[in-house]
Amino acid sequence: MNFSLYDFTPFNQWIDKFLHSHMSSFWAVAVEMTIIGLAILLFYALVGLFLVYAERKVCAFMQNRVGPNRVGPYGFFQTIADFIKLMLKELVHIKNADQLLFNLAPFIIIIASFMAIAAIPFAKGLHAIDFDIGILYVIAVSSLGVVGILLAGWSSNNKYSLIGAMRSGAQIVSYELSVGLSLVTIIILAGTMQFSQIVEGQANGWFIFKGHIPAFIAFVIFLISSTAETNRGPFDLAEAESELTAGFHTEYSGIKFAFFFLAEYMNMFIVASIAATVFLGGWMPFHMGGWAAFNHIMDFIPPFIWYIGKTFFVIWLMMWFKWTFPRLRIDQLLTLEWKYLLPINLVNILIMAFVVLMGWHF
Amino acid sequence: MNSFFKYFSEIFHGVKSLLTGMKVTGRYFFSPGEIVTQQYPENRKTLKMYDRFKGEVIMPHNERNEHRCTGCGICETSCPNGSIEILQAKIDMPDGKKKRIIDKHIYHLSMCTFCGLCIKSCPSDALAWGQEFEHAVFDRAKLTKILNKPGSSIIKDIVE
């Protein structure tokens, strides 16, 4: 066994061989799937807890505050304390709620984000499933979450929940378009929809630099529309707490509320990692053409660190948006999408196609 | 054609104003020295309240134990919830006349809403805001304070 931080493929093959030599191939595959599921579950919980802490700290610093600083050093265990509190809370029984859908909705949301995370390449070989239509798969799966939101709003038997869910539906239907089209811009440049190929294609320069102007416009549009798609501020009018108390999760309590909360942060992590993978090179180190020594130093940093760093940079950008801009009204939200983002996006695809046709990219 | 330019100028103005906002929050993020939150129980020794802070109503005395209160009672009448009581006294002046002075200026901190009307309405500026804010006590009676110190007298140059 040769374990390396730079390429996980030999390690994976070693596990695969080990399992196949000790049991039948059916059980080997079953064990592999369980291992991957547990690993992703662990990663999911850790990242979710850390993101809630990071959000509170970043928000505090942007508002000239200190943020959580009482539980553990720098308040690091605050979210763990919050999580324990949420676990111990009573699950309030809602009268006249549609019990089946009401209990099903948090699981639909969490399963949607769980399925999306499987297709994301964390490092070379650290990739649960590498579809050749990876981007299409992620777009399709991540938009399943809106079904959960609509069900939660509908089954709660509460006007605030229903209004919040309807707003969220209108929002996601519109902004899904921009997310898809801005990714199409990069697919034109990359020539593939497979995540591993996209990352390999950025070995000599990230797509945001390779595709210069149209790629940058696509990156900005992707940031805006993916922020809207994850229902985060300034597009959080699905849960606008000053008007709708909490929107679609008004009636949820305890661990079911925690599911919504966790899914919101994980969706943010997923769109941030897609942005990092598609625009900023994924786990590829930063390379400059012709600077061999510099490139060698960059190669020395493990790919996983590169991936996490880029993802958290994008997450930080999204938090910066949330804690700076005021919330949009529903008509402003739809105006922004249909009158501004969509036409710009379509023109941008044309420009990108022209740039690729003429070979003006690097 | 005009609306075409208007469309793009709207986009640029929008982006510009968004970036202005992001500049402010971004600067705060990278300058933790500007944090205004006070770590209260820890920095109790060094905590200095601001001049504008309304902790309690006090009557400032100078170093000769003299205050500016004439005992006119305007603060008592202007207090909306009756937290001030004025007890007056009469003294004999050297020229044979009787003069009204303050005996006790009683201030019920437990009833005060810190509106500041007494301080604003005082004609001789005898009252002021103090910066003490740790008012928790074990006995309600301790919240009734007598603002003029024992043995104090009025500053000579105060005219009614």
Side-chain angles (χ1 to χ4, degrees):
Chain A
M1 175 202 160
N2 42 359
F3 180 78
S4 148
L5 272 177
Y6 300 93
D7 189 355
F8 287 88
T9 324
F11 179 62
N12 294 343
Q13 280 164 353
W14 176 76
I15 290 181
D16 191 50
K17 251 185 222 149
F18 177 81
L19 288 174
H20 275 282
S21 61
H22 282 77
M23 54 189 87
S24 71
S25 84
F26 172 80
W27 284 108
V29 170
V31 168
E32 277 168 10
M33 282 162 81
T34 316
I35 291 172
I36 291 167
L38 286 177
I40 290 181
L41 198 66
L42 189 70
F43 180 74
Y44 195 95
L46 287 179
V47 167
L49 285 176
F50 179 73
L51 278 181
V52 177
Y53 169 77
E55 167 100 321
R56 293 183 63 181
K57 269 298 193 199
V58 168
C59 145
F61 286 139
M62 287 189 176
Q63 295 173 344
N64 256 349
R65 296 186 288 112
V66 183
N69 64 346
R70 298 283 143 162
V71 189
Y74 299 98
F76 202 79
F77 301 117
Q78 179 68 52
T79 47
I80 294 171
D82 288 345
F83 183 67
I84 293 170
K85 184 202 77 174
L86 272 176
M87 297 268 275
L88 297 175
K89 284 239 173 181
E90 183 193 356
L91 290 171
V92 181
H93 179 84
I94 310 296
K95 249 188 202 171
N96 298 328
D98 189 330
Q99 291 303 329
L100 173 69
L101 298 184
F102 187 77
N103 291 324
L104 190 64
F107 292 98
I108 291 183
I109 292 186
I110 215 137
I111 286 169
S113 63
F114 209 82
M115 282 163 81
I117 213 169
I120 290 167
F122 296 105
K124 193 165 191 173
L126 206 61
H127 193 168
I129 186 158
D130 190 18
F131 288 121
D132 47 3
I133 49 160
I135 289 183
L136 185 69
Y137 168 78
V138 165
I139 293 174
V141 159
S142 63
S143 60
L144 274 181
V146 70
V147 177
I149 290 176
L150 280 171
L151 280 185
W154 175 254
S155 61
S156 294
N157 192 28
N158 177 323
K159 55 183 175 294
Y160 298 128
S161 304
L162 187 57
I163 295 171
M166 286 301 159
R167 282 184 182 183
S168 168
Q171 183 178 332
I172 292 185
V173 165
S174 336
Y175 278 84
E176 196 89 299
L177 217 56
S178 277
V179 172
L181 287 175
S182 57
L183 289 177
V184 165
T185 318
I186 295 302
I187 292 169
I188 293 172
L189 181 62
T192 172
M193 287 171 91
Q194 193 172 2
F195 273 120
S196 56
Q197 298 279 318
I198 286 175
V199 175
E200 290 295 341
Q202 300 179 80
N204 52 352
W206 303 349
F207 279 149
I208 194 166
F209 301 127
K210 269 184 161 180
H212 49 90
I213 300 166
F216 182 74
I217 295 173
F219 179 64
V220 171
I221 291 176
F222 182 81
L223 270 186
I224 296 172
S225 47
S226 60
T227 311
E229 213 198 324
T230 51
N231 279 328
R232 278 179 60 79
F235 305 101
D236 59 345
L237 68 181
E239 48 197 272
E241 61 268 13
S242 47
E243 333 162 11
L244 300 179
T245 57
F248 59 89
H249 57 65
T250 307
E251 300 287 358
Y252 284 88
S253 57
I255 190 72
K256 285 191 243 169
F257 169 73
F259 274 9
F260 282 113
F261 204 59
L262 194 63
E264 188 195 326
Y265 282 97
M266 285 318 288
N267 283 335
M268 178 169 77
F269 182 80
I270 288 163
V271 294
S273 47
I274 292 169
T277 307
V278 172
F279 293 96
L280 303 178
W283 47 261
M284 250 333 150
F286 182 70
H287 282 169
M288 296 275 275
W291 293 17
F294 177 80
N295 293 349
H296 192 71
I297 293 168
M298 289 293 153
D299 281 337
F300 192 68
I301 302 171
F304 189 71
I305 305 289
W306 275 106
Y307 164 79
I308 286 287
K310 288 170 193 175
T311 307
F312 275 88
F313 172 71
V314 178
I315 288 174
W316 177 74
L317 279 182
M318 291 168 78
M319 287 178 177
W320 194 3
F321 294 155
K322 173 160 184 174
W323 298 109
T324 304
F325 304 141
R327 185 186 303 130
L328 274 76
R329 235 172 26 224
I330 184 81
D331 62 316
Q332 292 168 334
L333 180 93
L334 295 177
T335 308
L336 175 67
E337 163 65 19
W338 294 102
K339 284 171 84 174
Y340 293 94
L341 291 187
L342 187 62
I344 293 172
N345 221 333
L346 289 171
V347 173
N348 196 35
I349 289 180
L350 262 181
I351 297 174
M352 180 55 103
F354 192 67
V355 164
V356 171
L357 192 67
M358 303 300 285
W360 287 343
H361 58 87
F362 301 115
Chain B
M1 204 62 196
N2 202 5
S3 60
F4 181 77
F5 283 117
K6 196 167 158 253
Y7 180 82
F8 282 101
S9 77
E10 265 175 13
I11 291 175
F12 282 113
H13 276 101
V15 170
K16 208 180 137 201
S17 70
L18 290 179
L19 287 179
T20 313
M22 285 175 74
K23 210 175 96 188
V24 173
T25 45
R27 187 172 62 81
Y28 283 152
F29 184 82
F30 287 111
S31 49
E34 287 187 37
I35 288 175
V36 291
T37 313
Q38 300 287 334
Q39 301 291 317
Y40 166 58
E42 284 87 13
N43 73 348
R44 207 176 152 198
K45 294 274 188 316
T46 56
L47 180 65
K48 189 174 176 316
M49 298 309 290
Y50 299 92
D51 291 340
R52 281 170 25 175
F53 179 70
K54 297 175 169 185
E56 59 175 343
V57 174
I58 55 167
M59 185 182 286
H61 288 61
N62 66 7
E63 64 278 5
R64 292 196 302 278
N65 200 14
E66 291 173 335
H67 57 77
R68 299 173 66 88
C69 180
T70 61
C72 64
I74 290 177
C75 52
E76 187 181 8
T77 44
S78 65
C79 181
N81 38 359
S83 26
I84 293 176
E85 280 177 63
I86 306 288
L87 299 182
Q88 290 166 339
K90 293 270 166 57
I91 52 164
D92 293 320
M93 294 297 280
D95 55 357
K97 286 180 186 167
K98 288 203 173 228
K99 195 191 174 200
R100 183 191 64 194
I101 58 154
I102 183 94
D103 180 25
K104 277 177 182 168
H105 187 292
I106 301 169
Y107 169 51
H108 297 282
L109 179 60
S110 52
M111 291 197 282
C112 183
T113 59
F114 306 96
C115 64
L117 286 179
C118 50
I119 292 165
K120 272 192 191 128
S121 64
C122 181
S124 44
D125 290 338
L127 298 176
W129 283 118
Q131 259 104 61
E132 179 61 43
F133 61 91
E134 292 172 333
H135 292 312
V137 286
F138 284 103
D139 186 2
R140 196 169 58 164
K142 285 184 183 156
L143 292 173
T144 300
K145 301 184 176 185
I146 295 165
L147 292 190
N148 54 335
K149 288 178 187 164
S152 64
S153 60
I154 186 166
I155 295 174
K156 292 290 178 296
D157 58 348
I158 299 284
V159 286
E160 281 186 48

